[in-house]
Amino acid sequence: MENSAIYVRERGNLRRVSDIVLAQPKPVSSCRRTNPFVLRKENFIFTYNAEGSLRYTTKSLFDITLLFVADNIHHVDSLVGFPDQIGDRLFAAAEENRVFLNVDISSKALQLFSDAYGEMVLGSLCLRNRFPLLHERMDEIKTFHSLKCLDLFGCRLGDDHEIFQHLTSSSSLASSLMQLSIGGNRLSDVGLQRFTAPIRMLRKGLDCLQLLDVSYNPISVRALRYITCFPKLENLDVSGTSLKLGTGLKTTIWDLLGLIYSEKSLDSFDHSRCKTEGWAEQVVNQWETNNSQMPTPKKIDESRTSALHFFGRQKFVRDVLNAAPLVCESEEEAQGERLHFFRPAANSHIPEKQTPSTTTQQGKPSWHNIKKRQRQSERCDSSRQSPPTKRLPSSALTAEDLDLLNKLLNYSPL
């Protein structure tokens, strides 16, 4: 097959393909050269009958073709239009051949399946406290653009991780992601401001987000105004932050987000509800297992061996990979009060503690307050008597946002 020409028929036209290098076939045994009638074992299924005799049956042409395509999946242009049953079996064949463990082709292969089958490939991804897996497989994780639930709790993201830019720039995630957990990542007010800046400035991104977990991050009341860019937010967890429960906090969150405090812990923030689900569930587990097994070199010279023992590099790497991120400072904080907020139903009664006593619109639903805030911002804009333009009104950008925008505009890569 190495010297054979490959022809492809597309839209009734037959063309020759010369730049495709197919996967190398399995080595041929010596007896196959001398005896052309020796059976190719990969095309047969060997079983034993009741008497213990060896029997073989030929594989179907579909199975043979499926294995061939799985071996050369990185040469496939698109799977859009193929039935889900075909995609499922093709994905299983590629997984069996360990295609997704090959860093050279795994991203392209997963992108191919995600573009065609979306949520069926992976609809929910839980990376809770699995920060080595996130950093090692970042390119592959970015291909899952149809996620509805993403748990990044305790992944040590900080304020400048590239995953934040991906979440706000992916158009597919903007219309699919409904639950996001970024708690326990040492995310500050500045980091949350940067994360939400593209959404607040461009007015698009994460439009369907309903649940947000920012617990155990050093954020303050100042960060709450950055969360107002999520129009469908219904559940918010700010436990373990700098926010202290009180009438002032309840009033602020009600005025900004239209959420009220929950006396009981919400089941929606239970970790057991978020699981990795989809065709690629076992692929994610294989990544973690493969990364945890550190390869040992066959030959190490004496100087390197002594250096490794002296500096303890291998032990340091293992400790980093196996260490769980520090989320709570103490057990008291872990068992402390939960600050869960939720959006009440339109016809439910709002407790008086959620809003100031001087407010006369306590009984109205949260969407009324949101519209009221929008009308107030529009009146502020109209008072300036500026002609209508395509630019974003300046009232939507704070001085900090403008400063951040100027830094991004003035930034020039080396």
Side-chain angles (χ1 to χ4, degrees):
M1 180 171 284
E2 296 180 358
N3 300 325
S4 302
I6 301 176
Y7 294 88
V8 179
R9 181 182 296 278
E10 292 180 346
R11 299 180 180 178
N13 297 325
L14 191 66
R15 64 181 179 88
R16 180 176 177 177
V17 181
S18 58
D19 57 345
I20 294 181
V21 180
L22 299 178
Q24 295 295 329
K26 297 181 180 180
V28 183
S29 59
S30 58
C31 62
R32 191 171 298 175
R33 297 195 191 99
T34 57
N35 188 0
F37 297 102
V38 174
L39 301 178
R40 295 174 59 90
K41 294 183 179 180
E42 59 269 20
N43 293 337
F44 292 86
I45 302 176
F46 294 90
T47 57
Y48 290 91
N49 56 16
E51 291 77 13
S53 302
L54 180 64
R55 298 182 58 184
Y56 64 89
T57 56
T58 58
K59 290 184 178 180
S60 65
L61 181 59
F62 173 80
D63 292 335
I64 297 175
T65 306
L66 195 71
L67 294 176
F68 177 80
V69 176
D71 290 336
N72 299 275
I73 192 65
H74 51 288
H75 293 308
V76 179
D77 293 332
S78 176
L79 292 174
V80 176
F82 284 82
D84 301 344
Q85 296 83 352
I86 302 296
D88 188 10
R89 295 191 59 177
L90 183 59
F91 190 93
E95 178 184 352
E96 184 178 357
N97 290 350
R98 305 176 68 86
V99 172
F100 303 117
L101 295 180
N102 188 344
V103 294
D104 296 329
I105 62 176
S106 58
S107 298
K108 185 180 184 301
L110 287 172
Q111 185 71 45
L112 187 72
F113 284 99
S114 297
D115 292 342
Y117 304 105
E119 182 184 351
M120 288 183 288
V121 177
L122 206 66
S124 177
L125 178 60
C126 179
L127 297 177
R128 193 179 186 90
N129 296 334
R130 301 159 78 180
F131 62 96
L133 178 60
L134 174 65
H135 297 290
E136 290 290 336
R137 295 289 179 173
M138 189 64 195
D139 293 336
E140 288 85 347
I141 291 174
K142 286 182 178 180
T143 61
F144 303 132
H145 51 67
S146 298
L147 295 173
K148 288 187 175 180
C149 178
L150 178 60
D151 191 346
L152 299 175
F153 190 97
C155 287
R156 301 185 178 182
L157 302 180
D159 290 338
D160 302 312
H161 200 276
E162 59 180 313
I163 190 65
F164 292 133
Q165 182 180 2
H166 170 68
L167 293 176
T168 55
S169 60
S170 176
S171 59
S172 300
L173 276 176
S175 58
S176 65
L177 191 62
M178 301 175 63
Q179 300 181 11
L180 176 62
S181 176
I182 50 177
N185 284 294
R186 304 191 185 277
L187 183 66
S188 64
D189 294 349
V190 177
L192 196 59
Q193 178 192 11
R194 293 175 182 174
F195 169 47
T196 58
I199 306 175
R200 290 181 286 112
M201 294 179 180
L202 302 178
R203 297 292 182 95
K204 61 180 182 179
L206 299 181
D207 298 332
C208 299
L209 190 65
Q210 299 178 4
L211 182 145
L212 179 62
D213 180 5
V214 292
S215 59
Y216 299 103
N217 285 314
I219 60 175
S220 62
V221 180
R222 167 190 165 191
L224 294 177
R225 56 182 175 179
Y226 303 137
I227 308 178
T228 57
C229 59
F230 304 120
K232 297 184 179 180
L233 187 64
E234 297 182 356
N235 297 276
L236 177 65
D237 186 2
V238 291
S239 308
T241 61
S242 301
L243 304 178
K244 301 300 181 182
L245 182 62
T247 306
L249 178 62
K250 295 178 181 179
T251 302
T252 302
I253 293 183
W254 168 254
D255 291 339
L256 292 177
L257 304 173
L259 306 179
I260 64 175
Y261 173 70
S262 176
E263 299 293 340
K264 299 180 180 180
S265 299
L266 298 178
D267 295 337
S268 55
F269 292 108
D270 187 4
H271 167 60
S272 61
R273 291 179 175 270
C274 181
K275 299 179 180 179
T276 302
E277 296 178 346
W279 296 349
E281 177 181 352
Q282 295 301 323
V283 174
V284 176
N285 295 333
Q286 289 177 5
W287 289 342
E288 188 172 23
T289 304
N290 189 61
N291 292 339
S292 62
Q293 297 175 353
M294 298 182 59
T296 56
K298 295 182 179 180
K299 290 186 178 181
I300 303 179
D301 50 47
E302 295 181 358
S303 60
R304 186 184 177 193
T305 303
S306 59
L308 288 174
H309 285 292
F310 179 79
F311 292 104
R313 178 62 180 172
Q314 290 181 343
K315 183 179 183 299
F316 169 76
V317 173
R318 289 191 179 94
D319 292 342
V320 170
L321 292 177
N322 296 327
L326 182 62
V327 175
C328 305
E329 297 294 336
S330 62
E331 294 183 358
E332 295 180 357
E333 292 185 7
Q335 300 176 356
E337 60 182 358
R338 297 288 184 180
L339 298 182
H340 293 175
F341 294 83
F342 70 98
R343 185 180 302 278
N347 56 352
S348 63
H349 175 69
I350 308 301
E352 295 182 357
K353 294 183 179 180
Q354 303 293 341
T355 56
S357 57
T358 58
T359 304
T360 59
Q361 304 293 338
Q362 294 180 1
K364 294 187 178 182
S366 58
W367 58 265
H368 175 78
N369 293 330
I370 296 175
K371 290 186 176 180
K372 181 178 179 181
R373 292 193 298 271
Q374 292 177 351
R375 289 196 297 268
Q376 290 176 354
S377 63
E378 291 175 357
R379 287 196 296 268
C380 294
D381 295 339
S382 60
S383 62
R384 301 178 184 178
Q385 296 180 358
S386 57
T389 60
K390 294 184 179 180
R391 295 181 301 174
L392 191 67
S394 58
S395 61
L397 303 179
T398 62
E400 298 171 352
D401 294 335
L402 294 175
D403 182 55
L404 177 61
L405 182 60
N406 292 330
K407 291 181 180 179
L408 294 176
L409 295 175
N410 297 329
Y411 172 76
S412 58
L414 298 178

